[in-house]
mmCIF file of all heavy atoms in Angstrom:
data_model
loop_
_atom_site.group_PDB
_atom_site.id
_atom_site.type_symbol
_atom_site.label_atom_id
_atom_site.label_comp_id
_atom_site.label_asym_id
_atom_site.label_seq_id
_atom_site.Cartn_x
_atom_site.Cartn_y
_atom_site.Cartn_z
ATOM 1 N N LYS A 168 -3.361 -35.251 -64.429
ATOM 2 C CA LYS A 168 -2.037 -34.708 -64.717
ATOM 3 C C LYS A 168 -1.127 -34.833 -63.489
ATOM 4 O O LYS A 168 0.038 -35.214 -63.620
ATOM 5 C CB LYS A 168 -2.158 -33.242 -65.150
ATOM 6 C CG LYS A 168 -0.899 -32.668 -65.683
ATOM 7 C CD LYS A 168 -0.499 -33.389 -66.958
ATOM 8 C CE LYS A 168 0.572 -32.620 -67.678
ATOM 9 N NZ LYS A 168 1.071 -33.328 -68.841
ATOM 10 N N ILE A 169 -1.650 -34.518 -62.328
ATOM 11 C CA ILE A 169 -0.862 -34.650 -61.096
ATOM 12 C C ILE A 169 -0.494 -36.105 -60.863
ATOM 13 O O ILE A 169 0.656 -36.416 -60.523
ATOM 14 C CB ILE A 169 -1.635 -34.067 -59.891
ATOM 15 C CG1 ILE A 169 -1.742 -32.546 -60.027
ATOM 16 C CG2 ILE A 169 -0.950 -34.442 -58.573
ATOM 17 C CD1 ILE A 169 -2.659 -31.893 -59.032
ATOM 18 N N ALA A 170 -1.442 -37.002 -61.051
ATOM 19 C CA ALA A 170 -1.167 -38.434 -60.882
ATOM 20 C C ALA A 170 -0.102 -38.898 -61.876
ATOM 21 O O ALA A 170 0.773 -39.689 -61.528
ATOM 22 C CB ALA A 170 -2.442 -39.235 -61.053
ATOM 23 N N GLN A 171 -0.163 -38.385 -63.088
ATOM 24 C CA GLN A 171 0.828 -38.740 -64.111
ATOM 25 C C GLN A 171 2.213 -38.252 -63.697
ATOM 26 O O GLN A 171 3.198 -38.977 -63.843
ATOM 27 C CB GLN A 171 0.423 -38.132 -65.447
ATOM 28 C CG GLN A 171 1.352 -38.472 -66.586
ATOM 29 C CD GLN A 171 0.935 -37.782 -67.879
ATOM 30 O OE1 GLN A 171 0.184 -36.807 -67.857
ATOM 31 N NE2 GLN A 171 1.414 -38.295 -68.986
ATOM 32 N N LEU A 172 2.298 -37.044 -63.169
ATOM 33 C CA LEU A 172 3.572 -36.501 -62.727
ATOM 34 C C LEU A 172 4.152 -37.305 -61.555
ATOM 35 O O LEU A 172 5.366 -37.439 -61.430
ATOM 36 C CB LEU A 172 3.418 -35.035 -62.321
ATOM 37 C CG LEU A 172 3.135 -34.051 -63.455
ATOM 38 C CD1 LEU A 172 2.807 -32.677 -62.899
ATOM 39 C CD2 LEU A 172 4.320 -33.978 -64.410
ATOM 40 N N LEU A 173 3.265 -37.815 -60.702
ATOM 41 C CA LEU A 173 3.705 -38.614 -59.557
ATOM 42 C C LEU A 173 3.852 -40.089 -59.901
ATOM 43 O O LEU A 173 4.210 -40.888 -59.039
ATOM 44 C CB LEU A 173 2.703 -38.451 -58.404
ATOM 45 C CG LEU A 173 2.576 -37.042 -57.834
ATOM 46 C CD1 LEU A 173 1.445 -36.991 -56.810
ATOM 47 C CD2 LEU A 173 3.892 -36.587 -57.225
ATOM 48 N N ASP A 174 3.554 -40.423 -61.158
ATOM 49 C CA ASP A 174 3.624 -41.805 -61.639
ATOM 50 C C ASP A 174 2.729 -42.730 -60.804
ATOM 51 O O ASP A 174 3.132 -43.798 -60.362
ATOM 52 C CB ASP A 174 5.069 -42.309 -61.636
ATOM 53 C CG ASP A 174 5.225 -43.556 -62.492
ATOM 54 O OD1 ASP A 174 4.449 -43.715 -63.452
ATOM 55 O OD2 ASP A 174 6.114 -44.380 -62.182
ATOM 56 N N GLU A 175 1.511 -42.261 -60.563
ATOM 57 C CA GLU A 175 0.518 -43.013 -59.795
ATOM 58 C C GLU A 175 -0.829 -42.942 -60.500
ATOM 59 O O GLU A 175 -1.044 -42.114 -61.374
ATOM 60 C CB GLU A 175 0.369 -42.434 -58.382
ATOM 61 C CG GLU A 175 1.593 -42.558 -57.523
ATOM 62 C CD GLU A 175 1.367 -42.001 -56.134
ATOM 63 O OE1 GLU A 175 0.223 -41.596 -55.828
ATOM 64 O OE2 GLU A 175 2.328 -41.949 -55.360
ATOM 65 N N ASP A 176 -1.734 -43.809 -60.079
ATOM 66 C CA ASP A 176 -3.114 -43.763 -60.557
ATOM 67 C C ASP A 176 -3.879 -42.796 -59.662
ATOM 68 O O ASP A 176 -3.737 -42.854 -58.433
ATOM 69 C CB ASP A 176 -3.731 -45.168 -60.501
ATOM 70 C CG ASP A 176 -5.168 -45.192 -60.960
ATOM 71 O OD1 ASP A 176 -5.557 -44.333 -61.769
ATOM 72 O OD2 ASP A 176 -5.921 -46.080 -60.509
ATOM 73 N N CYS A 177 -4.678 -41.927 -60.242
ATOM 74 C CA CYS A 177 -5.415 -40.957 -59.425
ATOM 75 C C CYS A 177 -6.497 -41.625 -58.584
ATOM 76 O O CYS A 177 -6.937 -41.073 -57.585
ATOM 77 C CB CYS A 177 -6.002 -39.847 -60.292
ATOM 78 S SG CYS A 177 -7.366 -40.351 -61.349
ATOM 79 N N GLY A 178 -6.954 -42.798 -59.001
ATOM 80 C CA GLY A 178 -7.974 -43.514 -58.237
ATOM 81 C C GLY A 178 -9.373 -42.975 -58.447
ATOM 82 O O GLY A 178 -10.295 -43.334 -57.711
ATOM 83 N N CYS A 179 -9.555 -42.134 -59.426
ATOM 84 C CA CYS A 179 -10.852 -41.497 -59.664
ATOM 85 C C CYS A 179 -11.960 -42.520 -59.932
ATOM 86 O O CYS A 179 -13.050 -42.411 -59.368
ATOM 87 C CB CYS A 179 -10.756 -40.517 -60.827
ATOM 88 S SG CYS A 179 -9.618 -39.150 -60.538
ATOM 89 N N ASP A 180 -11.674 -43.480 -60.782
ATOM 90 C CA ASP A 180 -12.693 -44.477 -61.122
ATOM 91 C C ASP A 180 -13.048 -45.346 -59.926
ATOM 92 O O ASP A 180 -14.227 -45.640 -59.689
ATOM 93 C CB ASP A 180 -12.224 -45.357 -62.283
ATOM 94 C CG ASP A 180 -12.110 -44.573 -63.580
ATOM 95 O OD1 ASP A 180 -12.848 -43.580 -63.740
ATOM 96 O OD2 ASP A 180 -11.284 -44.964 -64.418
ATOM 97 N N ASP A 181 -12.037 -45.748 -59.157
ATOM 98 C CA ASP A 181 -12.296 -46.565 -57.970
ATOM 99 C C ASP A 181 -13.117 -45.797 -56.949
ATOM 100 O O ASP A 181 -14.031 -46.341 -56.329
ATOM 101 C CB ASP A 181 -10.982 -47.026 -57.322
ATOM 102 C CG ASP A 181 -10.220 -47.997 -58.200
ATOM 103 O OD1 ASP A 181 -10.858 -48.670 -59.048
ATOM 104 O OD2 ASP A 181 -8.988 -48.099 -58.035
#
Side-chain angles (χ1 to χ4, degrees):
K168 190 64 167 175
I169 291 171
Q171 182 183 19
L172 291 172
L173 297 174
D174 197 28
E175 295 181 5
D176 179 27
C177 71
C179 298
D180 293 332
D181 293 336

